Amino acid sequence: MAKPEGLSEFYQRHFQTTPDTRPTDLGQVNVFRLEESLLHDAEPVQFSRRDFYKIALLRRGHSVYEYADQRREALGPALLFFNPKLPYTRQLLSAEITGFFCVLRQDFFQQRGRMGVTLTEHPFLQPGNIPVYPLTAAQTEEVSALFEKMLTELASDYPLKYDLLRTYAAELLHYTLKLRPADASYQPASAKARLTAVFLELLERQFPLESPTQRVALRSASAFAQQLAVHPNYLNHCVRATTGKTTTDHIASRLSSEAQALLRHTDWPIAEVGYSIGFDEPAHFNYFFKKHTGLAPSAFRRL
């Protein structure tokens, strides 16, 4: 699997240049027209992680994103969100692609909002997913106007323009929160929900695996319970009450998803894929993989 793509590599690949900004400002918040970023993007996007967040408005066009064992299509107009923990690859399915996108460095999210949670805890920036929000014509114009304001400010000589850009980026995130149904708005988290959130975050932190020498450390309910200093039965009760699935279900699903990504996007030997997700014996990995996908690892790789 390719190493995470940094902002410098991202700028060079898409624009063959690096924006002329102060080093402290570079990339914390930056905004572009989507069509301009595709001028030099002749090669398919590699399956890899990025070390920055990205918010894109697809005004017109059709593309598909592949990550882990998932495939997500985006048909404009739509808002798309990408986070550094999720490796993905992209294919463009239409000749005309228009829109905007902004890139955000991790330090953008150091501030805490009035809701008492960091912006990285919002659903559309959680690991393991590429959220796509379809937009109406009116919503598309509202979001486009916000991106246009960001572009105008970026081109200005206002000394504090990057502070203003950060404000616009935060407004964009909150705009998306308002697209969620009223009954899905944030509510004070219960103790069960908080423990479940910590468990899921701890599970996701182990991925993606980027070399055969890297190995999953926590792969059982008891191992997670010990790490979280709770009884395995209590952890399972909280997770099941919150998500409808057991801790074992979540762990197995994530291990299976990572194994599928490694088989599809790397040339690691099957035995090394199995070892990296915690199986010492290839036969045990084969059994696990076939149980969860219906195919042997070798058959899956040939698809």
Short mmCIF file of all heavy atoms in Angstrom, two decimals, residues 213-234:
data_model
loop_
_atom_site.label_atom_id
_atom_site.label_comp_id
_atom_site.label_asym_id
_atom_site.label_seq_id
_atom_site.Cartn_x
_atom_site.Cartn_y
_atom_site.Cartn_z
N THR A 213 4.87 -5.98 8.09
CA THR A 213 5.43 -6.07 9.44
C THR A 213 4.51 -5.47 10.49
O THR A 213 4.72 -5.66 11.68
CB THR A 213 6.79 -5.35 9.49
OG1 THR A 213 6.59 -3.97 9.14
CG2 THR A 213 7.77 -5.98 8.52
N GLN A 214 3.50 -4.74 10.04
CA GLN A 214 2.54 -4.14 10.97
C GLN A 214 1.47 -5.17 11.28
O GLN A 214 0.99 -5.88 10.40
CB GLN A 214 1.92 -2.91 10.30
CG GLN A 214 1.14 -2.01 11.22
CD GLN A 214 0.60 -0.80 10.47
OE1 GLN A 214 0.96 -0.56 9.32
NE2 GLN A 214 -0.27 -0.04 11.12
N ARG A 215 1.08 -5.28 12.55
CA ARG A 215 0.11 -6.30 12.93
C ARG A 215 -0.92 -5.75 13.90
O ARG A 215 -0.60 -4.92 14.77
CB ARG A 215 0.83 -7.49 13.57
CG ARG A 215 -0.04 -8.76 13.59
CD ARG A 215 0.67 -9.92 14.22
NE ARG A 215 -0.01 -11.18 13.89
CZ ARG A 215 0.05 -12.29 14.62
NH1 ARG A 215 0.78 -12.30 15.73
NH2 ARG A 215 -0.60 -13.37 14.24
N VAL A 216 -2.14 -6.20 13.75
CA VAL A 216 -3.22 -5.80 14.65
C VAL A 216 -2.92 -6.30 16.05
O VAL A 216 -2.63 -7.49 16.25
CB VAL A 216 -4.57 -6.36 14.15
CG1 VAL A 216 -5.66 -6.11 15.19
CG2 VAL A 216 -4.94 -5.73 12.82
N ALA A 217 -2.98 -5.41 17.03
CA ALA A 217 -2.67 -5.79 18.41
C ALA A 217 -3.90 -6.24 19.18
O ALA A 217 -3.84 -7.17 19.98
CB ALA A 217 -2.00 -4.62 19.13
N LEU A 218 -5.03 -5.56 18.93
CA LEU A 218 -6.27 -5.87 19.65
C LEU A 218 -7.25 -6.52 18.68
O LEU A 218 -7.68 -5.89 17.73
CB LEU A 218 -6.88 -4.59 20.24
CG LEU A 218 -5.98 -3.78 21.17
CD1 LEU A 218 -6.65 -2.46 21.55
CD2 LEU A 218 -5.65 -4.58 22.43
N ARG A 219 -7.59 -7.78 18.94
CA ARG A 219 -8.49 -8.46 18.02
C ARG A 219 -9.51 -9.35 18.73
O ARG A 219 -10.12 -10.22 18.11
CB ARG A 219 -7.71 -9.26 16.98
CG ARG A 219 -6.75 -10.28 17.53
CD ARG A 219 -5.97 -10.96 16.42
NE ARG A 219 -6.81 -11.51 15.38
CZ ARG A 219 -7.35 -12.72 15.43
NH1 ARG A 219 -7.16 -13.50 16.50
NH2 ARG A 219 -8.09 -13.16 14.44
N SER A 220 -9.70 -9.13 20.02
CA SER A 220 -10.71 -9.88 20.77
C SER A 220 -11.42 -8.95 21.73
O SER A 220 -10.89 -7.90 22.13
CB SER A 220 -10.06 -11.03 21.56
OG SER A 220 -9.27 -10.53 22.62
N ALA A 221 -12.65 -9.33 22.09
CA ALA A 221 -13.43 -8.51 23.01
C ALA A 221 -12.71 -8.35 24.34
O ALA A 221 -12.71 -7.27 24.94
CB ALA A 221 -14.81 -9.13 23.21
N SER A 222 -12.10 -9.41 24.82
CA SER A 222 -11.40 -9.34 26.11
C SER A 222 -10.19 -8.41 26.04
O SER A 222 -9.90 -7.69 27.00
CB SER A 222 -10.96 -10.74 26.56
OG SER A 222 -10.11 -11.33 25.59
N ALA A 223 -9.50 -8.39 24.91
CA ALA A 223 -8.34 -7.49 24.76
C ALA A 223 -8.78 -6.04 24.80
O ALA A 223 -8.14 -5.19 25.43
CB ALA A 223 -7.61 -7.80 23.45
N PHE A 224 -9.89 -5.72 24.14
CA PHE A 224 -10.41 -4.35 24.17
C PHE A 224 -10.90 -4.00 25.57
O PHE A 224 -10.68 -2.88 26.04
CB PHE A 224 -11.54 -4.19 23.16
CG PHE A 224 -11.07 -3.96 21.75
CD1 PHE A 224 -10.96 -5.02 20.86
CD2 PHE A 224 -10.72 -2.69 21.32
CE1 PHE A 224 -10.52 -4.82 19.56
CE2 PHE A 224 -10.27 -2.48 20.02
CZ PHE A 224 -10.17 -3.55 19.14
N ALA A 225 -11.57 -4.93 26.22
CA ALA A 225 -12.08 -4.67 27.57
C ALA A 225 -10.93 -4.39 28.53
O ALA A 225 -11.02 -3.49 29.37
CB ALA A 225 -12.91 -5.86 28.05
N GLN A 226 -9.87 -5.15 28.42
CA GLN A 226 -8.71 -4.93 29.28
C GLN A 226 -8.10 -3.55 29.01
O GLN A 226 -7.73 -2.83 29.95
CB GLN A 226 -7.66 -6.01 29.04
CG GLN A 226 -6.44 -5.90 29.94
CD GLN A 226 -5.46 -7.05 29.73
OE1 GLN A 226 -5.63 -7.88 28.84
NE2 GLN A 226 -4.43 -7.10 30.56
N GLN A 227 -8.03 -3.16 27.76
CA GLN A 227 -7.47 -1.86 27.40
C GLN A 227 -8.34 -0.73 27.95
O GLN A 227 -7.83 0.33 28.32
CB GLN A 227 -7.38 -1.75 25.87
CG GLN A 227 -6.66 -0.53 25.37
CD GLN A 227 -5.15 -0.64 25.49
OE1 GLN A 227 -4.63 -1.71 25.76
NE2 GLN A 227 -4.46 0.47 25.29
N LEU A 228 -9.65 -0.95 27.98
CA LEU A 228 -10.59 0.07 28.44
C LEU A 228 -10.91 -0.04 29.93
O LEU A 228 -11.71 0.74 30.46
CB LEU A 228 -11.88 -0.02 27.63
CG LEU A 228 -11.73 0.27 26.13
CD1 LEU A 228 -13.01 -0.10 25.38
CD2 LEU A 228 -11.39 1.74 25.90
N ALA A 229 -10.31 -1.03 30.60
CA ALA A 229 -10.48 -1.23 32.05
C ALA A 229 -11.93 -1.47 32.43
O ALA A 229 -12.44 -0.92 33.41
CB ALA A 229 -9.92 -0.03 32.81
N VAL A 230 -12.62 -2.32 31.64
CA VAL A 230 -13.99 -2.72 31.96
C VAL A 230 -14.10 -4.23 31.78
O VAL A 230 -13.23 -4.87 31.17
CB VAL A 230 -15.03 -2.01 31.07
CG1 VAL A 230 -15.00 -0.51 31.30
CG2 VAL A 230 -14.80 -2.33 29.60
N HIS A 231 -15.18 -4.80 32.31
CA HIS A 231 -15.40 -6.24 32.13
C HIS A 231 -15.87 -6.50 30.69
O HIS A 231 -16.65 -5.71 30.14
CB HIS A 231 -16.45 -6.74 33.11
CG HIS A 231 -16.51 -8.24 33.20
ND1 HIS A 231 -17.19 -9.00 32.28
CD2 HIS A 231 -15.96 -9.11 34.10
CE1 HIS A 231 -17.08 -10.27 32.61
NE2 HIS A 231 -16.33 -10.37 33.71
N PRO A 232 -15.41 -7.59 30.05
CA PRO A 232 -15.84 -7.89 28.67
C PRO A 232 -17.35 -7.93 28.50
O PRO A 232 -17.89 -7.48 27.49
CB PRO A 232 -15.20 -9.25 28.39
CG PRO A 232 -14.01 -9.30 29.28
CD PRO A 232 -14.41 -8.55 30.53
N ASN A 233 -18.05 -8.49 29.51
CA ASN A 233 -19.51 -8.57 29.40
C ASN A 233 -20.15 -7.19 29.41
O ASN A 233 -21.13 -6.94 28.70
CB ASN A 233 -20.08 -9.41 30.55
CG ASN A 233 -19.72 -10.87 30.43
OD1 ASN A 233 -19.29 -11.33 29.37
ND2 ASN A 233 -19.89 -11.62 31.51
N TYR A 234 -19.60 -6.28 30.22
CA TYR A 234 -20.15 -4.92 30.27
C TYR A 234 -19.88 -4.19 28.96
O TYR A 234 -20.75 -3.49 28.43
CB TYR A 234 -19.55 -4.15 31.44
CG TYR A 234 -20.05 -2.72 31.52
CD1 TYR A 234 -21.37 -2.45 31.88
CD2 TYR A 234 -19.21 -1.65 31.22
CE1 TYR A 234 -21.84 -1.14 31.94
CE2 TYR A 234 -19.68 -0.34 31.27
CZ TYR A 234 -20.99 -0.10 31.64
OH TYR A 234 -21.46 1.19 31.68
#
